[in-house]
Structure formats: C-alpha cells, structure tokens
Amino acid sequence: MAALVGAIGLLPWLSRTDPALTVLKARSADRDPTPETLRAIRDRLGLDDGPPALLGHWLGGLLHGDAGTSWVSGGQVLPGVTQALGASLLLMSGALVVAAGTVAVVCARTLRLGSRGRLAARGPGGTASAVLAALPEFLVASVLASVIGVQLGWLPALGWYGPQWMVLPSLALGLPAGAILGRLLDDLLPSAFAEPWALAAAARGVPPRSVARQAVRRCVPGLLPNLGLFVVGLTGGAVAVEQIFDIPGLGRLTLQAALAQDLPVLQTGTLALFLVAAAAGILARLSARLLIGPALRDGALHSLHRPSPSAPRALPLLYGALLAAVIGFGLPRDALALDALARLRGPSLAHPFGTDALGRDVLARVSHGALTTLGIALAVSAAALVAGLLLGLLPRLSGPLVDTVSAVPPVLAGLLVAGVAGSGPWTPAFAVGVVAWSPLAAHTSSLLRQERATTHLAATRALGAGRWYLLRHELLPAVLSPVARHALLRLPGIALSLAALGFLGLGAQPPSPEWGLLLAENQPYAERAPWAVLFPAAVLALLGALAVTAAGGVRLPRRRGRPASPAGPPAERIMPPRQQRNSPDSLLTPVSTSPTEER
C-alpha cells in the first residue's frame, strides 16, 4: 500500500510533464501559462521541494486528520473524499442488491433441479447470462440513460439527489456483476448436490427448498473472496458509470484528480479504496469461516471438485464459428476508408453493419479491431491465469497482495502505466494485467483452503503421501479446472476492461478500430444510428457466450487408476458396486442395508 501511494505521489514526475502546467489547465484552461504564473503555482504548492517532501507533508497532516487542500479547487480534501466515498458505497449497495437478484435468476434452474435430484436432465445453458456478463457497463449505462431516462422518462438519468437516481446506475453495475457471480455459483452447485449429505437429505424426504438453501450455503464460502473483490470494484471501479450518470462518486473523483494531477485528492481517494478493500477482504474470510464452521478446522469437508464429464461441445463450436465468420467476412474490407456521403447509414448489402459518423464500414472496423482486442485479451487472460494459480497456491503471500491490488481501479493503473511507459496499444493491456490476476488468486486460495480440509486428503496424508505428491495429485487437479473455467469467464471482462480504458481515452487512439474506442466514438450517435453501437455490443456478447460455453468443457478427465508407490497412497481399482462398500470412499456415502433399499 505504501509503495502504491508513493508511486501515485510520483505521477506528475513520471508523466514527464510540468505539474504546474497541468494544475493551471485544470484550474483555468483559457489562462495563458506564462513563466511567472507557473513559478507562482510551484511556489504555492511546494513543487520545487520534490516528491519526498510533498509526500511527507501529506502524511504528517493525515496523522492529525488533515488530508490537505486540493491543488485545483483549494478546498479541504478529507470532506470531499468522505462525501464521494459515501455516494460510492450507497451506489455499491444498490448494485449488490441487483447482483443478488441476478444471481438468483441465473441459478434458479440448477437449484430447482438439483434439490429434486434431477440434475441429469439439465441441458447446456447459460447463454443469456453470458450475454449479460459480456455487455460493457458503460454501454448498459448509456442505453438505460438514453432509453429509460430520456426517451421514456420513467426514471431520472442524470444527477444524484435521492433513491430514484440510484436505480439506473445500480442496474448498469449490478447486472453484469451478478451474471458473473451467478455463473461461478452455478458451476459449484452440481458438486454440492452430489455430496453424501444432499443424497441422504433427499432420501429422508427433506423439503427441496431446505436442500437448495444448504447447497447455496455450502458453495458460497468459495465465492466470498470474489464477492469482496466485486465490492471494491463497484466502489472505485465504476468510473465510466459515474461519468455517464453524473454521480459524484469516489471513482470519478480519483479519475479527475489523476487527470489534473491533484495529488492530495488522488492519494486520499486511493487510500480510502485501500481501506475498503482491506475491510472487504477481512469480512469475506471471516464470513467463509463462519459459514463452513468447524468442518474447515477438523478436515471434515467433501471435495466440490471431483472429476466430471465434459459439457457438450456443440454450442461453443457454434458460437466460435459465428464469431470467426463475422471477423473473416469483415477483414477484406477497409476499416479506414472514409465516405462523407455514406455517414450513419443503416445496414445494407454494401454495409451489413451500417456505417459510422465518418462513413466508415462498421463491420470492417469490428473485424479489424477483433484482431487487436481479442489477441490482447487472450494474452492478458493467460498471464493472469498463470499468475493467479501460482500466487493463489501461496495464500499467505497473495492474500495481502490481492487486498491491495484489487483496490486499484484499472483506470488509475492505466494512468500510472501511461505515465511511466507512455500511451500505446499495450498500455491498457499492462494496466489490466496488473489487476486481472487478483480474482483468480483469491479463487485459488479459497478452493485450496477448502480442499485441504477434505476427508480424502486427510486419508491420503495418513497413508504417507508427501507435500509434493498432495500438491501434484490432489490439490492442483482439484483447483486447476474451476480456476481455468473462471479465467475463461473473465475473458470477456478483460476485453471489457480494455474497452473501458479505450472508452475513457486511455487506450488506443483514433483511427484505431479497437473495440473500446469504437464504442466510445459511436456512443454520441446511439439514438440516431443505434446499429453503430448495437453490432459491436453483439459481437462482445457473442464472445461472452463463447467463453461461458467453452468454460463448461474445461474439466479434468476421470482417472481410472494410479500406479502404486511406496511413498504414495495405494492404487485405485475399479470394483463392482457390492465390493465398493469395503473401500475407504464408501465411508463417505450412505450404504443400503437390504436388497429392497438397494433397489
């Protein structure tokens, strides 16, 4: 945390710009930057003393409850940051309510079938939640504001004056977040319904509602770390939504402070985000321990991640073929060709996706932008998966890092990276990669903590297995496939983060066809030419559907046996059903006592 706050204090000098000139432009863009004016600003702010002196002065005042004064407005920093934090926390609460409702809708089918013992009849699904999770928050916010707020007039679209102003931004933030959390929970529920307690409860005639409630309680602890990260993301990472709805939140405040290089406001706002992240992480860990109970301490859990058959592969092949067809059909077209006479034309044979405000073919720009956006998103996702697994296997090291890194919004990370390395196509990729590993590391640590408390691992350890054997044959196989599926679910989100940075002007610059820049350029014309926004959003939704359906097939194959080893557990044998009663695993399952019960 101290290192990040120090790096933020170096932002004006890392960007190789004159901080006095930046502050002057933020105060008054029309004022002439004469040497006398710039010298007066340096003397007043103490810029000539250097970053260490400025940071020490800010820390010294902070210890006495004074965060200094803003370099731009001249007002006290702490009251403004506190007010912005209150608005962000209130918005986060509304978004969590919407996310909880979305999770309930996404998991309703699995809960209904699983509580009645009919999960075998569940076919492939999740396309609707995948489309919802793949929609950019800023695009959802723009559509809600223009359609519901402006055209229909049902709810206010701008401002922050009461509960009515919370509805649309809460929907814009909560729907995509709830879709991702719902997919993660829906991935764990079938294993929970297959545990011995659920089978015994169904045999005893326990009401399906009670079985479903206990299954949710069994799976929620594995998702609580990611829920804490969502809380932090909804507090400080909702910059684009706050910009669209004109909400005086903490994310928007830190973005404005970073652009103006207003260090007292930026450092105080970032410190507030760090405190929120630390509190969310501690509450998530305590809640997980309370929900699991003494089973976590006594090693009495059942593994939620047994090898299972792969999901059907028809849907990902279909979505992949559609995405490849769209990209392949548009690549031969010129993405930079201008036609002033064909501005904002609707879809036609000549332009299947229509044209934008400069007469450029939208299909061509979507296709050419896919090569950059998808390539960078895949590279960032792969790096995040490797880093998340490695750091997640070391929870004592990764826990504090996750709590700290998750508090840094991608926008702020993009500004820091741009200040050091300059703007470019790889700047947003590096900025997103810095924070993209933390959800995967939190998920890995949570699964690892529960897997270490399983009965089969305790039995394997008692049979003489060493740490390396347990890691290679038990822990890593149990953690790898669900985290890999999580990484695939995050692929559209990483593409959206890259798009959000481009939307805010921190990514690729015109005339690049990068998807974020493409959506940002066409958003002002959404009412007049909706196809210029809807078709790129549809391709993003198609990517989300592909990622979710492909994630269902990422499962470890069933192992038919293990070679016997003196240092490891004995080899597993495939036994007839009646002989399996004498195996150690039979102690975990209900055993019938008569032929009638067996039938």
mmCIF file of all heavy atoms in Angstrom, residues 536-585:
data_model
loop_
_atom_site.group_PDB
_atom_site.id
_atom_site.type_symbol
_atom_site.label_atom_id
_atom_site.label_comp_id
_atom_site.label_asym_id
_atom_site.label_seq_id
_atom_site.Cartn_x
_atom_site.Cartn_y
_atom_site.Cartn_z
ATOM 1 N N PRO A 536 -21.336 -3.795 -32.536
ATOM 2 C CA PRO A 536 -20.146 -4.113 -31.729
ATOM 3 C C PRO A 536 -20.491 -4.739 -30.386
ATOM 4 O O PRO A 536 -19.793 -5.654 -29.923
ATOM 5 C CB PRO A 536 -19.471 -2.747 -31.554
ATOM 6 C CG PRO A 536 -19.933 -1.950 -32.716
ATOM 7 C CD PRO A 536 -21.323 -2.389 -32.977
ATOM 8 N N ALA A 537 -21.589 -4.283 -29.752
ATOM 9 C CA ALA A 537 -22.005 -4.897 -28.489
ATOM 10 C C ALA A 537 -22.441 -6.340 -28.702
ATOM 11 O O ALA A 537 -22.199 -7.211 -27.861
ATOM 12 C CB ALA A 537 -23.140 -4.088 -27.868
ATOM 13 N N ALA A 538 -23.090 -6.631 -29.844
ATOM 14 C CA ALA A 538 -23.499 -8.004 -30.128
ATOM 15 C C ALA A 538 -22.293 -8.920 -30.314
ATOM 16 O O ALA A 538 -22.306 -10.085 -29.889
ATOM 17 C CB ALA A 538 -24.376 -8.028 -31.382
ATOM 18 N N VAL A 539 -21.246 -8.410 -30.930
ATOM 19 C CA VAL A 539 -20.032 -9.222 -31.075
ATOM 20 C C VAL A 539 -19.394 -9.476 -29.711
ATOM 21 O O VAL A 539 -18.903 -10.575 -29.434
ATOM 22 C CB VAL A 539 -19.049 -8.532 -32.036
ATOM 23 C CG1 VAL A 539 -17.755 -9.326 -32.155
ATOM 24 C CG2 VAL A 539 -19.676 -8.369 -33.411
ATOM 25 N N LEU A 540 -19.403 -8.467 -28.834
ATOM 26 C CA LEU A 540 -18.926 -8.679 -27.469
ATOM 27 C C LEU A 540 -19.765 -9.723 -26.745
ATOM 28 O O LEU A 540 -19.244 -10.582 -26.022
ATOM 29 C CB LEU A 540 -18.955 -7.356 -26.700
ATOM 30 C CG LEU A 540 -17.709 -6.487 -26.742
ATOM 31 C CD1 LEU A 540 -17.975 -5.167 -26.046
ATOM 32 C CD2 LEU A 540 -16.527 -7.176 -26.100
ATOM 33 N N ALA A 541 -21.080 -9.663 -26.910
ATOM 34 C CA ALA A 541 -21.954 -10.660 -26.289
ATOM 35 C C ALA A 541 -21.688 -12.046 -26.853
ATOM 36 O O ALA A 541 -21.722 -13.048 -26.126
ATOM 37 C CB ALA A 541 -23.412 -10.264 -26.503
ATOM 38 N N LEU A 542 -21.405 -12.144 -28.150
ATOM 39 C CA LEU A 542 -21.062 -13.428 -28.751
ATOM 40 C C LEU A 542 -19.769 -13.977 -28.161
ATOM 41 O O LEU A 542 -19.647 -15.186 -27.918
ATOM 42 C CB LEU A 542 -20.942 -13.261 -30.266
ATOM 43 C CG LEU A 542 -20.725 -14.525 -31.094
ATOM 44 C CD1 LEU A 542 -21.890 -15.485 -30.918
ATOM 45 C CD2 LEU A 542 -20.547 -14.164 -32.564
ATOM 46 N N LEU A 543 -18.809 -13.103 -27.911
ATOM 47 C CA LEU A 543 -17.576 -13.535 -27.240
ATOM 48 C C LEU A 543 -17.871 -14.055 -25.840
ATOM 49 O O LEU A 543 -17.305 -15.075 -25.418
ATOM 50 C CB LEU A 543 -16.598 -12.360 -27.181
ATOM 51 C CG LEU A 543 -15.331 -12.594 -26.362
ATOM 52 C CD1 LEU A 543 -14.481 -13.697 -26.970
ATOM 53 C CD2 LEU A 543 -14.526 -11.288 -26.250
ATOM 54 N N GLY A 544 -18.767 -13.381 -25.119
ATOM 55 C CA GLY A 544 -19.126 -13.861 -23.785
ATOM 56 C C GLY A 544 -19.804 -15.212 -23.819
ATOM 57 O O GLY A 544 -19.510 -16.094 -22.995
ATOM 58 N N ALA A 545 -20.714 -15.420 -24.774
ATOM 59 C CA ALA A 545 -21.373 -16.720 -24.893
ATOM 60 C C ALA A 545 -20.364 -17.808 -25.237
ATOM 61 O O ALA A 545 -20.432 -18.935 -24.709
ATOM 62 C CB ALA A 545 -22.460 -16.643 -25.961
ATOM 63 N N LEU A 546 -19.414 -17.502 -26.092
ATOM 64 C CA LEU A 546 -18.372 -18.476 -26.429
ATOM 65 C C LEU A 546 -17.533 -18.822 -25.206
ATOM 66 O O LEU A 546 -17.233 -20.000 -24.957
ATOM 67 C CB LEU A 546 -17.488 -17.910 -27.545
ATOM 68 C CG LEU A 546 -16.234 -18.714 -27.894
ATOM 69 C CD1 LEU A 546 -16.605 -20.103 -28.385
ATOM 70 C CD2 LEU A 546 -15.393 -17.977 -28.935
ATOM 71 N N ALA A 547 -17.155 -17.818 -24.425
ATOM 72 C CA ALA A 547 -16.318 -18.066 -23.250
ATOM 73 C C ALA A 547 -17.049 -18.911 -22.215
ATOM 74 O O ALA A 547 -16.475 -19.847 -21.638
ATOM 75 C CB ALA A 547 -15.871 -16.736 -22.641
ATOM 76 N N VAL A 548 -18.333 -18.621 -21.963
ATOM 77 C CA VAL A 548 -19.073 -19.358 -20.933
ATOM 78 C C VAL A 548 -19.309 -20.800 -21.358
ATOM 79 O O VAL A 548 -19.118 -21.736 -20.575
ATOM 80 C CB VAL A 548 -20.408 -18.645 -20.634
ATOM 81 C CG1 VAL A 548 -21.300 -19.511 -19.766
ATOM 82 C CG2 VAL A 548 -20.134 -17.336 -19.928
ATOM 83 N N THR A 549 -19.726 -21.014 -22.590
ATOM 84 C CA THR A 549 -19.976 -22.386 -23.033
ATOM 85 C C THR A 549 -18.687 -23.186 -23.158
ATOM 86 O O THR A 549 -18.672 -24.389 -22.873
ATOM 87 C CB THR A 549 -20.716 -22.379 -24.379
ATOM 88 O OG1 THR A 549 -19.994 -21.557 -25.313
ATOM 89 C CG2 THR A 549 -22.115 -21.825 -24.213
ATOM 90 N N ALA A 550 -17.601 -22.534 -23.552
ATOM 91 C CA ALA A 550 -16.319 -23.242 -23.602
ATOM 92 C C ALA A 550 -15.811 -23.551 -22.208
ATOM 93 O O ALA A 550 -15.155 -24.574 -21.990
ATOM 94 C CB ALA A 550 -15.289 -22.411 -24.368
ATOM 95 N N ALA A 551 -16.119 -22.692 -21.241
ATOM 96 C CA ALA A 551 -15.679 -22.944 -19.868
ATOM 97 C C ALA A 551 -16.332 -24.197 -19.301
ATOM 98 O O ALA A 551 -15.739 -24.884 -18.457
ATOM 99 C CB ALA A 551 -16.010 -21.740 -18.980
ATOM 100 N N GLY A 552 -17.536 -24.527 -19.740
ATOM 101 C CA GLY A 552 -18.188 -25.732 -19.256
ATOM 102 C C GLY A 552 -17.469 -27.001 -19.652
ATOM 103 O O GLY A 552 -17.655 -28.051 -19.017
ATOM 104 N N GLY A 553 -16.632 -26.960 -20.691
ATOM 105 C CA GLY A 553 -15.906 -28.144 -21.112
ATOM 106 C C GLY A 553 -14.525 -28.262 -20.535
ATOM 107 O O GLY A 553 -13.815 -29.227 -20.825
ATOM 108 N N VAL A 554 -14.102 -27.302 -19.722
ATOM 109 C CA VAL A 554 -12.769 -27.364 -19.113
ATOM 110 C C VAL A 554 -12.871 -28.186 -17.845
ATOM 111 O O VAL A 554 -13.149 -27.668 -16.761
ATOM 112 C CB VAL A 554 -12.224 -25.948 -18.819
ATOM 113 C CG1 VAL A 554 -10.852 -26.030 -18.197
ATOM 114 C CG2 VAL A 554 -12.181 -25.135 -20.102
ATOM 115 N N ARG A 555 -12.684 -29.475 -17.972
ATOM 116 C CA ARG A 555 -12.758 -30.384 -16.830
ATOM 117 C C ARG A 555 -11.674 -31.433 -16.965
ATOM 118 O O ARG A 555 -11.303 -31.831 -18.073
ATOM 119 C CB ARG A 555 -14.132 -31.047 -16.737
ATOM 120 C CG ARG A 555 -15.265 -30.042 -16.562
ATOM 121 C CD ARG A 555 -16.595 -30.729 -16.373
ATOM 122 N NE ARG A 555 -17.683 -29.767 -16.330
ATOM 123 C CZ ARG A 555 -18.041 -29.091 -15.253
ATOM 124 N NH1 ARG A 555 -17.403 -29.289 -14.125
ATOM 125 N NH2 ARG A 555 -19.034 -28.226 -15.289
ATOM 126 N N LEU A 556 -11.184 -31.883 -15.823
ATOM 127 C CA LEU A 556 -10.155 -32.910 -15.830
ATOM 128 C C LEU A 556 -10.761 -34.256 -16.199
ATOM 129 O O LEU A 556 -11.878 -34.571 -15.786
ATOM 130 C CB LEU A 556 -9.487 -33.010 -14.455
ATOM 131 C CG LEU A 556 -8.686 -31.788 -14.033
ATOM 132 C CD1 LEU A 556 -8.109 -32.018 -12.657
ATOM 133 C CD2 LEU A 556 -7.584 -31.479 -15.021
ATOM 134 N N PRO A 557 -10.046 -35.067 -16.965
ATOM 135 C CA PRO A 557 -10.569 -36.395 -17.284
ATOM 136 C C PRO A 557 -10.566 -37.289 -16.057
ATOM 137 O O PRO A 557 -9.803 -37.084 -15.116
ATOM 138 C CB PRO A 557 -9.587 -36.904 -18.348
ATOM 139 C CG PRO A 557 -8.317 -36.165 -18.068
ATOM 140 C CD PRO A 557 -8.743 -34.803 -17.575
ATOM 141 N N ARG A 558 -11.448 -38.270 -16.087
ATOM 142 C CA ARG A 558 -11.511 -39.218 -14.981
ATOM 143 C C ARG A 558 -10.261 -40.094 -14.994
ATOM 144 O O ARG A 558 -9.835 -40.572 -16.033
ATOM 145 C CB ARG A 558 -12.761 -40.088 -15.097
ATOM 146 C CG ARG A 558 -14.046 -39.330 -14.865
ATOM 147 C CD ARG A 558 -15.227 -40.259 -14.993
ATOM 148 N NE ARG A 558 -16.469 -39.572 -14.745
ATOM 149 C CZ ARG A 558 -17.012 -39.417 -13.555
ATOM 150 N NH1 ARG A 558 -16.395 -39.908 -12.500
ATOM 151 N NH2 ARG A 558 -18.142 -38.774 -13.394
ATOM 152 N N ARG A 559 -9.720 -40.313 -13.820
ATOM 153 C CA ARG A 559 -8.552 -41.177 -13.689
ATOM 154 C C ARG A 559 -9.023 -42.568 -13.295
ATOM 155 O O ARG A 559 -9.664 -42.747 -12.264
ATOM 156 C CB ARG A 559 -7.587 -40.625 -12.632
ATOM 157 C CG ARG A 559 -6.932 -39.319 -13.028
ATOM 158 C CD ARG A 559 -6.085 -38.786 -11.912
ATOM 159 N NE ARG A 559 -6.927 -38.330 -10.809
ATOM 160 C CZ ARG A 559 -6.448 -37.855 -9.675
ATOM 161 N NH1 ARG A 559 -5.161 -37.798 -9.477
ATOM 162 N NH2 ARG A 559 -7.265 -37.455 -8.719
ATOM 163 N N ARG A 560 -8.637 -43.562 -14.123
ATOM 164 C CA ARG A 560 -9.074 -44.932 -13.855
ATOM 165 C C ARG A 560 -8.179 -45.635 -12.845
ATOM 166 O O ARG A 560 -8.566 -46.658 -12.286
ATOM 167 C CB ARG A 560 -9.103 -45.732 -15.149
ATOM 168 C CG ARG A 560 -10.155 -45.231 -16.117
ATOM 169 C CD ARG A 560 -10.227 -46.131 -17.319
ATOM 170 N NE ARG A 560 -11.301 -45.710 -18.203
ATOM 171 C CZ ARG A 560 -12.554 -46.098 -18.078
ATOM 172 N NH1 ARG A 560 -12.894 -46.918 -17.111
ATOM 173 N NH2 ARG A 560 -13.481 -45.673 -18.906
ATOM 174 N N GLY A 561 -7.031 -45.127 -12.603
ATOM 175 C CA GLY A 561 -6.166 -45.797 -11.634
ATOM 176 C C GLY A 561 -4.888 -45.031 -11.449
ATOM 177 O O GLY A 561 -4.501 -44.192 -12.248
ATOM 178 N N ARG A 562 -4.193 -45.321 -10.367
ATOM 179 C CA ARG A 562 -2.916 -44.699 -10.081
ATOM 180 C C ARG A 562 -1.871 -45.778 -9.901
ATOM 181 O O ARG A 562 -2.149 -46.826 -9.325
ATOM 182 C CB ARG A 562 -2.975 -43.885 -8.789
ATOM 183 C CG ARG A 562 -3.641 -42.557 -8.951
ATOM 184 C CD ARG A 562 -3.480 -41.792 -7.667
ATOM 185 N NE ARG A 562 -4.480 -40.756 -7.621
ATOM 186 C CZ ARG A 562 -5.037 -40.324 -6.508
ATOM 187 N NH1 ARG A 562 -4.702 -40.838 -5.370
ATOM 188 N NH2 ARG A 562 -5.947 -39.383 -6.538
ATOM 189 N N PRO A 563 -0.642 -45.550 -10.325
ATOM 190 C CA PRO A 563 0.390 -46.524 -10.077
ATOM 191 C C PRO A 563 0.712 -46.599 -8.602
ATOM 192 O O PRO A 563 0.753 -45.603 -7.903
ATOM 193 C CB PRO A 563 1.585 -45.982 -10.888
ATOM 194 C CG PRO A 563 1.309 -44.527 -11.024
ATOM 195 C CD PRO A 563 -0.170 -44.380 -11.061
ATOM 196 N N ALA A 564 0.929 -47.816 -8.137
ATOM 197 C CA ALA A 564 1.263 -47.996 -6.729
ATOM 198 C C ALA A 564 2.626 -47.421 -6.455
ATOM 199 O O ALA A 564 3.546 -47.503 -7.255
ATOM 200 C CB ALA A 564 1.234 -49.480 -6.379
ATOM 201 N N SER A 565 2.774 -46.819 -5.326
ATOM 202 C CA SER A 565 4.035 -46.186 -4.941
ATOM 203 C C SER A 565 4.216 -46.325 -3.463
ATOM 204 O O SER A 565 3.286 -46.128 -2.689
ATOM 205 C CB SER A 565 4.022 -44.709 -5.342
ATOM 206 O OG SER A 565 5.165 -44.063 -4.843
ATOM 207 N N PRO A 566 5.445 -46.658 -3.000
ATOM 208 C CA PRO A 566 5.657 -46.787 -1.566
ATOM 209 C C PRO A 566 5.443 -45.483 -0.834
ATOM 210 O O PRO A 566 5.085 -45.469 0.334
ATOM 211 C CB PRO A 566 7.120 -47.243 -1.479
ATOM 212 C CG PRO A 566 7.512 -47.675 -2.845
ATOM 213 C CD PRO A 566 6.630 -46.967 -3.783
ATOM 214 N N ALA A 567 5.698 -44.366 -1.530
ATOM 215 C CA ALA A 567 5.573 -43.077 -0.857
ATOM 216 C C ALA A 567 4.195 -42.477 -0.988
ATOM 217 O O ALA A 567 3.916 -41.454 -0.397
ATOM 218 C CB ALA A 567 6.596 -42.087 -1.428
ATOM 219 N N GLY A 568 3.333 -43.093 -1.768
ATOM 220 C CA GLY A 568 2.024 -42.519 -2.001
ATOM 221 C C GLY A 568 0.942 -43.486 -1.638
ATOM 222 O O GLY A 568 1.179 -44.605 -1.175
ATOM 223 N N PRO A 569 -0.310 -43.113 -1.835
ATOM 224 C CA PRO A 569 -1.430 -43.967 -1.497
ATOM 225 C C PRO A 569 -1.521 -45.132 -2.453
ATOM 226 O O PRO A 569 -0.986 -45.100 -3.554
ATOM 227 C CB PRO A 569 -2.638 -43.036 -1.632
ATOM 228 C CG PRO A 569 -2.193 -41.982 -2.561
ATOM 229 C CD PRO A 569 -0.739 -41.823 -2.353
ATOM 230 N N PRO A 570 -2.173 -46.208 -2.080
ATOM 231 C CA PRO A 570 -2.286 -47.367 -2.956
ATOM 232 C C PRO A 570 -3.079 -47.041 -4.198
ATOM 233 O O PRO A 570 -3.850 -46.100 -4.243
ATOM 234 C CB PRO A 570 -3.014 -48.392 -2.083
ATOM 235 C CG PRO A 570 -3.722 -47.587 -1.051
ATOM 236 C CD PRO A 570 -2.884 -46.388 -0.805
ATOM 237 N N ALA A 571 -2.916 -47.883 -5.205
ATOM 238 C CA ALA A 571 -3.579 -47.648 -6.490
ATOM 239 C C ALA A 571 -5.077 -47.838 -6.356
ATOM 240 O O ALA A 571 -5.557 -48.704 -5.635
ATOM 241 C CB ALA A 571 -3.027 -48.614 -7.545
ATOM 242 N N GLU A 572 -5.829 -46.999 -7.075
ATOM 243 C CA GLU A 572 -7.280 -47.124 -7.096
ATOM 244 C C GLU A 572 -7.670 -48.233 -8.063
ATOM 245 O O GLU A 572 -7.097 -48.361 -9.143
ATOM 246 C CB GLU A 572 -7.911 -45.801 -7.527
ATOM 247 C CG GLU A 572 -7.640 -44.689 -6.543
ATOM 248 C CD GLU A 572 -8.259 -43.399 -7.034
ATOM 249 O OE1 GLU A 572 -8.748 -43.391 -8.163
ATOM 250 O OE2 GLU A 572 -8.227 -42.425 -6.277
ATOM 251 N N ARG A 573 -8.642 -49.018 -7.693
ATOM 252 C CA ARG A 573 -9.109 -50.113 -8.532
ATOM 253 C C ARG A 573 -10.582 -49.899 -8.820
ATOM 254 O O ARG A 573 -11.334 -49.401 -7.988
ATOM 255 C CB ARG A 573 -8.889 -51.454 -7.838
ATOM 256 C CG ARG A 573 -7.436 -51.725 -7.484
ATOM 257 C CD ARG A 573 -7.284 -53.135 -6.958
ATOM 258 N NE ARG A 573 -8.108 -53.364 -5.796
ATOM 259 C CZ ARG A 573 -7.721 -53.060 -4.554
ATOM 260 N NH1 ARG A 573 -6.557 -52.514 -4.353
ATOM 261 N NH2 ARG A 573 -8.507 -53.299 -3.513
ATOM 262 N N ILE A 574 -10.976 -50.326 -9.989
ATOM 263 C CA ILE A 574 -12.386 -50.274 -10.355
ATOM 264 C C ILE A 574 -13.040 -51.549 -9.841
ATOM 265 O O ILE A 574 -12.678 -52.657 -10.254
ATOM 266 C CB ILE A 574 -12.543 -50.165 -11.877
ATOM 267 C CG1 ILE A 574 -11.828 -48.901 -12.373
ATOM 268 C CG2 ILE A 574 -14.002 -50.153 -12.278
ATOM 269 C CD1 ILE A 574 -11.863 -48.738 -13.858
ATOM 270 N N MET A 575 -13.971 -51.408 -8.920
ATOM 271 C CA MET A 575 -14.572 -52.553 -8.248
ATOM 272 C C MET A 575 -16.055 -52.610 -8.566
ATOM 273 O O MET A 575 -16.680 -51.594 -8.861
ATOM 274 C CB MET A 575 -14.378 -52.425 -6.733
ATOM 275 C CG MET A 575 -12.914 -52.440 -6.320
ATOM 276 S SD MET A 575 -12.757 -52.170 -4.547
ATOM 277 C CE MET A 575 -13.234 -50.466 -4.448
ATOM 278 N N PRO A 576 -16.639 -53.799 -8.488
ATOM 279 C CA PRO A 576 -18.091 -53.911 -8.635
ATOM 280 C C PRO A 576 -18.789 -53.154 -7.541
ATOM 281 O O PRO A 576 -18.206 -52.868 -6.491
ATOM 282 C CB PRO A 576 -18.338 -55.431 -8.542
ATOM 283 C CG PRO A 576 -17.012 -56.069 -8.833
ATOM 284 C CD PRO A 576 -15.979 -55.113 -8.362
ATOM 285 N N PRO A 577 -20.051 -52.792 -7.728
ATOM 286 C CA PRO A 577 -20.757 -51.979 -6.738
ATOM 287 C C PRO A 577 -20.784 -52.597 -5.367
ATOM 288 O O PRO A 577 -20.644 -51.912 -4.371
ATOM 289 C CB PRO A 577 -22.160 -51.835 -7.347
ATOM 290 C CG PRO A 577 -21.964 -52.026 -8.812
ATOM 291 C CD PRO A 577 -20.858 -52.999 -8.951
ATOM 292 N N ARG A 578 -20.940 -53.948 -5.270
ATOM 293 C CA ARG A 578 -21.040 -54.547 -3.941
ATOM 294 C C ARG A 578 -19.694 -54.550 -3.230
ATOM 295 O O ARG A 578 -19.626 -54.522 -2.008
ATOM 296 C CB ARG A 578 -21.585 -55.970 -4.052
ATOM 297 C CG ARG A 578 -23.036 -56.026 -4.516
ATOM 298 C CD ARG A 578 -23.540 -57.462 -4.502
ATOM 299 N NE ARG A 578 -24.920 -57.514 -4.944
ATOM 300 C CZ ARG A 578 -25.960 -57.316 -4.140
ATOM 301 N NH1 ARG A 578 -25.754 -57.037 -2.873
ATOM 302 N NH2 ARG A 578 -27.185 -57.388 -4.602
ATOM 303 N N GLN A 579 -18.575 -54.624 -4.013
ATOM 304 C CA GLN A 579 -17.270 -54.614 -3.365
ATOM 305 C C GLN A 579 -16.851 -53.217 -2.952
ATOM 306 O O GLN A 579 -15.946 -53.060 -2.145
ATOM 307 C CB GLN A 579 -16.216 -55.196 -4.317
ATOM 308 C CG GLN A 579 -16.450 -56.673 -4.644
ATOM 309 C CD GLN A 579 -15.377 -57.216 -5.566
ATOM 310 O OE1 GLN A 579 -14.367 -56.547 -5.799
ATOM 311 N NE2 GLN A 579 -15.589 -58.415 -6.085
ATOM 312 N N GLN A 580 -17.483 -52.196 -3.504
ATOM 313 C CA GLN A 580 -17.098 -50.843 -3.161
ATOM 314 C C GLN A 580 -17.462 -50.491 -1.736
ATOM 315 O O GLN A 580 -17.001 -49.480 -1.221
ATOM 316 C CB GLN A 580 -17.769 -49.851 -4.108
ATOM 317 C CG GLN A 580 -17.178 -49.898 -5.512
ATOM 318 C CD GLN A 580 -17.827 -48.893 -6.408
ATOM 319 O OE1 GLN A 580 -18.730 -48.173 -5.982
ATOM 320 N NE2 GLN A 580 -17.388 -48.840 -7.644
ATOM 321 N N ARG A 581 -18.284 -51.292 -1.076
ATOM 322 C CA ARG A 581 -18.639 -50.981 0.304
ATOM 323 C C ARG A 581 -17.423 -51.064 1.225
ATOM 324 O O ARG A 581 -17.388 -50.432 2.272
ATOM 325 C CB ARG A 581 -19.708 -51.948 0.789
ATOM 326 C CG ARG A 581 -21.034 -51.823 0.057
ATOM 327 C CD ARG A 581 -22.020 -52.817 0.596
ATOM 328 N NE ARG A 581 -23.272 -52.740 -0.159
ATOM 329 C CZ ARG A 581 -24.294 -53.556 0.064
ATOM 330 N NH1 ARG A 581 -24.211 -54.491 0.984
ATOM 331 N NH2 ARG A 581 -25.404 -53.427 -0.645
ATOM 332 N N ASN A 582 -16.436 -51.908 0.846
ATOM 333 C CA ASN A 582 -15.262 -52.072 1.685
ATOM 334 C C ASN A 582 -14.175 -51.058 1.382
ATOM 335 O O ASN A 582 -13.131 -51.071 2.012
ATOM 336 C CB ASN A 582 -14.689 -53.489 1.497
ATOM 337 C CG ASN A 582 -15.690 -54.549 1.921
ATOM 338 O OD1 ASN A 582 -16.423 -54.342 2.887
ATOM 339 N ND2 ASN A 582 -15.719 -55.677 1.216
ATOM 340 N N SER A 583 -14.379 -50.188 0.370
ATOM 341 C CA SER A 583 -13.362 -49.199 0.044
ATOM 342 C C SER A 583 -13.487 -48.013 0.971
ATOM 343 O O SER A 583 -14.548 -47.747 1.532
ATOM 344 C CB SER A 583 -13.530 -48.735 -1.415
ATOM 345 O OG SER A 583 -14.748 -48.059 -1.560
ATOM 346 N N PRO A 584 -12.380 -47.233 1.154
ATOM 347 C CA PRO A 584 -12.445 -46.072 2.062
ATOM 348 C C PRO A 584 -13.469 -45.041 1.638
ATOM 349 O O PRO A 584 -14.105 -44.416 2.470
ATOM 350 C CB PRO A 584 -11.008 -45.522 1.999
ATOM 351 C CG PRO A 584 -10.167 -46.669 1.562
ATOM 352 C CD PRO A 584 -11.022 -47.499 0.664
ATOM 353 N N ASP A 585 -13.667 -44.868 0.300
ATOM 354 C CA ASP A 585 -14.619 -43.857 -0.132
ATOM 355 C C ASP A 585 -16.046 -44.225 0.220
ATOM 356 O O ASP A 585 -16.923 -43.363 0.271
ATOM 357 C CB ASP A 585 -14.524 -43.651 -1.654
ATOM 358 C CG ASP A 585 -13.266 -42.905 -2.033
ATOM 359 O OD1 ASP A 585 -12.704 -42.271 -1.117
ATOM 360 O OD2 ASP A 585 -12.857 -42.970 -3.194
#
